């Protein structure tokens, strides 16, 4: 079993990533640490409970940062809905939380050989590194965040997670003991859940397809209104898929930092040409094999075999 932690701000695509990880048989999900991002941590907690009810799975929940390191908190409820799950307001069963996210991250990292999927602002990860950097010497951190050559979703150049807490993003990039892996908008924008793909998912697993349809309707309306996309970009699951099938992704090693203030706030500044002559500190995902990644995603989430001839016509 592979030990994983999901640090998230669920969120529609975070929730899909949690469902996906739940269906990966070799994953031992140690817990979900929550951070304010798409929604406040308290709304995120309720959404994990909603996922627990749907999946019949009791996730351990750890409450983390309510706000960024220094910036004022900004949410994405315009994108994800007031409840963070497309304004579905699904029922959930209440339970006690399992502890503090920062302590949880440090203590599990000390045990070694753990992978953290960081799907929200990096506030929790930064605070955990500040508390005990050495604890993370054997930890792999895969981040959904940033933007390389695409356009941003919070500014012309900035992606949401890095924009919300740029100080945390910059700190983690510069201080993680191992090179962090970053899945930026350049790659995730290519991974669009369209009505056709969703229809195929429903054909393979109606219950799962109906749930995903329910929570993404609001998300799809947002994408149409602001980007004229028929479908929705589901960013966060790609971190899971990259961990499982690295051969399906193109990646490179660069030196990078995150700009913390001014018009370029939240910008992932990548030194592609090595102008600064600094140590290379990130592994950046740059492309993906779209058919194979969609095949992997659908087979895991539906527990059914995909016909690539059919899927190929849908993407």
């Amino acid at each position: 079993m592979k030990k994983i932690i999901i640090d998230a701000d669920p969120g529609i695509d975070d929730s899909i990533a949690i469902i996906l990880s739940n269906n990966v048989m070799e994953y031992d999900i140690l817990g979900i640490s929550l951070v304010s991002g798409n929604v406040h941590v308290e709304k995120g907690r309720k959404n994990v409970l909603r996922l627990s009810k749907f999946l019949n799975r009791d996730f351990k929940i750890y409450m983390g940062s309510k706000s960024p390191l220094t910036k004022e908190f900004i949410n994405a409820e315009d994108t994800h809905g007031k409840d963070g799950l497309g304004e579905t307001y699904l029922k959930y069963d209440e339970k006690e939380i399992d502890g503090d996210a920062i302590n949880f991250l440090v203590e599990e990292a000390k045990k070694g050989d753990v992978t953290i999927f960081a799907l929200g602002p990096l506030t929790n990860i930064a605070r955990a590194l500040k508390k005990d950097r050495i604890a993370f010497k054997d930890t792999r951190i895969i981040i959904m965040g940033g933007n390389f050559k695409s356009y941003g979703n919070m500014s012309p150049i900035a992606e949401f997670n890095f924009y919300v807490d740029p100080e945390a993003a910059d700190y983690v990039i510069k201080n993680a003991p191992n090179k962090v892996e970053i899945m930026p908008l350049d790659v995730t924008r290519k991974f669009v859940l369209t009505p056709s793909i969703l229809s195929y998912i429903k054909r393979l697993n109606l219950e799962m397809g109906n749930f995903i349809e329910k929570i993404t309707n609001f998300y799809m309306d947002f994408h149409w209104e602001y980007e004229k996309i028929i479908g929705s970009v589901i960013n966060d699951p790609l971190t899971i898929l990259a961990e499982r099938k690295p051969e399906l992704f193109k990646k490179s090693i660069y030196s990078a930092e995150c700009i913390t203030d001014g018009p370029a706030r939240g910008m992932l500044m990548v030194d592609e040409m090595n102008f600064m002559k600094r140590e290379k500190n990130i592994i950046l995902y740059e492309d993906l094999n779209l058919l194979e990644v969609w095949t992997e995603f659908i087979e895991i989430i539906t527990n059914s075999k995909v016909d690539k001839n059919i899927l190929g016509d849908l993407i």
Side-chain angles (χ1 to χ4, degrees):
M1 297 291 286
K2 185 171 292 184
K3 296 188 297 181
I4 73 162
I5 294 169
I6 299 174
D7 188 78
D9 56 341
I12 293 165
D13 56 327
D14 305 72
S15 296
I16 295 172
I18 291 168
I19 294 169
L20 185 71
S21 66
N22 177 76
N23 287 13
V24 176
M25 299 304 295
E26 67 267 26
Y27 281 175
D28 176 14
I29 304 174
L30 302 177
I32 298 173
S33 53
L34 295 172
V35 62
S36 287
N38 291 324
V39 291
H40 188 271
V41 283
E42 178 54 31
K43 290 186 178 181
R45 183 187 70 85
K46 292 177 181 178
N47 288 339
V48 176
L49 294 176
R50 289 173 171 126
L51 296 175
S52 293
K53 191 174 184 68
F54 170 65
L55 296 168
N56 192 28
R57 167 76 181 265
D58 183 19
F59 294 109
K60 290 190 174 182
I61 301 172
Y62 298 87
M63 297 296 278
S65 305
K66 296 178 179 179
S67 59
L69 293 179
T70 63
K71 298 285 192 286
E72 186 176 344
F73 173 54
I74 301 168
N75 65 44
E77 291 181 7
D78 59 334
T79 309
H80 296 263
K82 294 294 184 184
D83 65 342
L85 274 184
E87 300 192 352
T88 51
Y89 296 100
L90 301 172
K91 293 181 180 179
Y92 61 91
D93 297 322
E94 195 57 80
K95 63 161 267 188
E96 293 291 322
I97 64 164
D98 293 278
D100 172 76
I102 312 307
N103 291 337
F104 166 66
L105 289 165
V106 170
E107 291 308 310
E108 291 299 335
K110 281 180 180 177
K111 298 173 186 177
D113 195 27
V114 63
T115 297
I116 298 174
F117 294 101
L119 309 182
L122 294 173
T123 321
N124 287 345
I125 311 299
R127 287 189 165 127
L129 285 170
K130 286 173 182 280
K131 184 172 183 178
D132 191 345
R133 179 180 180 273
I134 301 304
F136 292 83
K137 61 184 177 62
D138 297 318
T139 302
R140 183 181 181 186
I141 303 173
I142 307 177
I143 298 164
M144 189 282 124
N147 176 55
F148 182 24
K149 296 180 179 179
S150 181
Y151 52 93
N153 58 10
M154 280 297 285
S155 79
I157 50 177
E159 175 273 334
F160 175 81
N161 289 337
F162 280 29
Y163 186 90
V164 169
D165 198 342
E167 283 83 5
D170 192 53
Y171 187 87
V172 171
I173 288 169
K174 292 177 178 175
N175 291 279
N178 304 305
K179 293 179 180 68
V180 295
E181 301 173 40
I182 298 178
M183 181 70 67
L185 290 179
D186 306 68
V187 181
T188 66
R189 286 191 191 281
K190 299 175 182 179
F191 198 63
V192 180
L193 178 68
T194 64
S196 295
I197 295 173
L198 182 55
S199 179
Y200 186 45
I201 290 172
K202 289 171 69 175
R203 297 289 179 181
L204 297 176
N205 186 323
L206 184 60
E207 183 184 20
M208 181 62 70
N210 281 341
F211 186 85
I212 292 173
E213 181 176 45
K214 190 181 298 182
I215 68 173
T216 57
N217 277 333
F218 186 98
Y219 207 32
M220 290 193 179
D221 288 344
F222 176 87
H223 278 80
W224 171 250
E225 182 179 353
Y226 288 95
E227 297 191 37
K228 294 300 179 279
I229 294 172
I230 299 179
S232 57
V233 177
I234 49 172
N235 307 283
D236 294 330
L238 285 180
T239 59
I240 310 290
L241 298 165
E243 191 284 325
R244 293 198 76 252
K245 296 284 184 176
E247 68 274 13
L248 302 182
F249 293 81
K250 176 188 174 186
K251 55 190 175 182
S252 300
I253 301 174
Y254 296 115
S255 173
E257 61 184 292
C258 182
I259 306 303
T260 57
D261 285 299
R265 167 181 167 170
M267 174 187 179
L268 177 65
M269 190 173 78
V270 179
D271 189 3
E272 183 180 14
M273 302 306 294
N274 197 28
F275 286 113
M276 308 299 287
K277 309 299 182 191
R278 293 174 178 168
E279 180 183 355
K280 295 181 179 182
N281 57 357
I282 68 165
I283 299 168
L284 185 68
Y285 290 91
E286 295 180 287
D287 206 353
L288 77 170
N289 182 324
L290 195 58
L291 175 60
E292 295 299 332
V293 171
W294 266 120
T295 298
E296 186 73 9
F297 173 85
I298 295 172
E299 289 190 343
I300 294 171
I301 213 153
T302 65
N303 195 29
S304 300
K305 187 69 176 174
V306 163
D307 185 328
K308 293 183 184 179
N309 291 321
I310 293 173
L311 181 59
D313 290 336
L314 302 179
I315 63 175

